[in-house]
Amino acid sequence: MKVTGAASPFLLCQRLFPTKLAGLSVALLKATALEIAILAGHLLLYPSGITQERRTAASLPSPDAAAKLPTEEKPPVVLLHGFIDNRSVFLLLRRNLAQHGRQHIESLNYSPLTCDIRTAAELLGRHIEEICERTGHERVDIVGHSLGGLIARYYVQCLGGDSHVRTLVTLGTPHSGTRVAPVMNAHPIVRQMRPGSAVIEELTGPAPGCRTQFVSFWSDLDHLMDPLETACVEHPDLLAQNVRVSGVGHLALPVHPAVATGIRQALDLEEPGARTAARTAGLTVA
């Protein structure tokens, strides 16, 4: 049956629930305005993050110093950006983590010409092994935005990276694949982020004994996740918490103060601390 404008479900819901729909519209407008502002700011900062960050002498402890690191020192944090982006997206989050005691924070760039998640995950693994050797830590924590989270998950789950990654935090990552923007299917890495792709199917496979804790932040207004719940980690073998963020778009996830607080506290606490951390930050654990 063809639905006419007069009998459309939206108009019917608008008549029955005008307040709720008005509230949703306001939230959507606010989130969209914030996304535009963040995009404008990020375009200005983008050139500063094109090259890999320099590791100064202060961030390169001697072997003797690394051997004497106190056991209570927090693991290094590795920040991994999303598709067609770079490390500049983590400017505010990096500052937040450093102000709260994280001494080793590294933002990694991967090439915008990257065409395969598996290859990017292998490269990530080599970077993490180098970081562990240089800092004297056996494991690191990773925060991955969008595609960066999927690359990190593939490393952890399919390449044995759980031996080096203590906690993986993902922000708006299409764990089950996203159907958004079908016109971009010409890019091979976009095809790998589609539901049912070979990479997504690999991630649904068994992962017995995986030692990494997963904390996934997903937004109810993320325009790049279709469906929205694809940003949740749903796997029987993985220790995972899914944290819902309301009124925040895709680009805002790495810079929003409440999300930064949730990330920091999830990294600071052991499981089941992720649940407590999310609630402390005013977020919702799904």
Side-chain angles (χ1 to χ4, degrees):
M1 180 179 71
K2 184 177 181 180
V3 178
T4 65
S8 69
F10 179 80
L11 290 177
L12 181 59
C13 289
Q14 193 174 37
R15 292 168 185 164
L16 293 175
F17 310 108
T19 303
K20 181 176 290 188
L21 285 177
L24 179 61
S25 299
V26 171
L28 182 59
L29 287 172
K30 288 182 178 180
T32 302
L34 181 60
E35 289 284 279
I36 294 172
I38 290 172
L39 177 60
H42 189 39
L43 289 175
L44 292 175
L45 291 172
Y46 191 91
S48 68
I50 292 176
T51 60
Q52 293 284 7
E53 67 180 6
R54 293 183 179 181
R55 300 186 181 98
T56 62
S59 66
L60 295 170
S62 66
D64 290 340
K68 297 177 182 178
L69 286 174
T71 56
E72 67 272 17
E73 185 176 338
K74 298 172 183 177
V77 179
V78 178
L79 306 175
L80 199 61
H81 62 79
F83 183 53
I84 316 180
D85 209 338
N86 63 37
R87 60 187 178 85
S88 63
V89 71
F90 290 117
L91 178 65
L92 295 180
L93 178 60
R94 181 181 185 131
R95 183 179 303 168
N96 187 298
L97 293 173
Q99 289 173 343
H100 289 84
R102 291 283 173 164
Q103 298 179 9
H104 301 283
I105 306 170
E106 300 202 14
S107 303
L108 300 181
N109 276 353
Y110 55 89
S111 170
L113 301 178
T114 297
C115 293
D116 183 65
I117 288 174
R118 301 178 186 89
T119 301
E122 291 174 0
L123 180 60
L124 172 64
R126 292 197 290 271
H127 278 303
I128 288 177
E129 289 174 4
E130 186 272 331
I131 291 170
C132 288
E133 181 178 358
R134 172 161 44 85
T135 63
H137 286 269
E138 294 183 357
R139 307 182 84 188
V140 304
D141 293 330
I142 300 179
V143 179
H145 180 225
S146 196
L147 172 61
L150 203 60
I151 292 171
R153 178 177 173 184
Y154 192 92
Y155 165 64
V156 164
Q157 191 175 329
C158 301
L159 301 180
D162 62 314
S163 62
H164 289 301
V165 180
R166 186 187 68 122
T167 301
L168 170 56
V169 175
T170 64
L171 311 173
T173 291
H175 290 285
S176 301
T178 178
R179 295 189 294 261
V180 77
V183 295
M184 294 188 65
N185 278 345
H187 198 294
I189 209 164
V190 173
R191 293 198 297 272
Q192 288 185 328
M193 290 190 285
R194 297 302 189 201
S197 74
V199 167
I200 297 299
E201 288 301 311
E202 283 185 67
L203 293 176
T204 64
C210 183
R211 288 162 283 183
T212 299
Q213 172 182 303
F214 292 80
V215 183
S216 175
F217 290 82
W218 66 284
S219 171
D220 55 6
L221 292 178
D222 191 331
H223 58 287
L224 293 184
M225 297 297 107
D226 181 17
L228 292 173
E229 292 77 8
T230 190
C232 297
V233 177
E234 302 290 350
H235 194 294
D237 294 334
L238 300 181
L239 181 62
Q241 294 284 352
N242 296 304
V243 183
R244 176 178 175 176
V245 183
S246 296
V248 174
H250 189 78
L251 297 178
L253 285 169
V255 301
H256 196 279
V259 178
T261 300
I263 292 169
R264 189 182 72 247
Q265 294 179 348
L267 293 179
D268 285 347
L269 299 173
E270 297 290 344
E271 179 63 29
R275 182 178 297 272
T276 304
R279 288 175 176 163
T280 302
L283 306 175
T284 304
V285 179

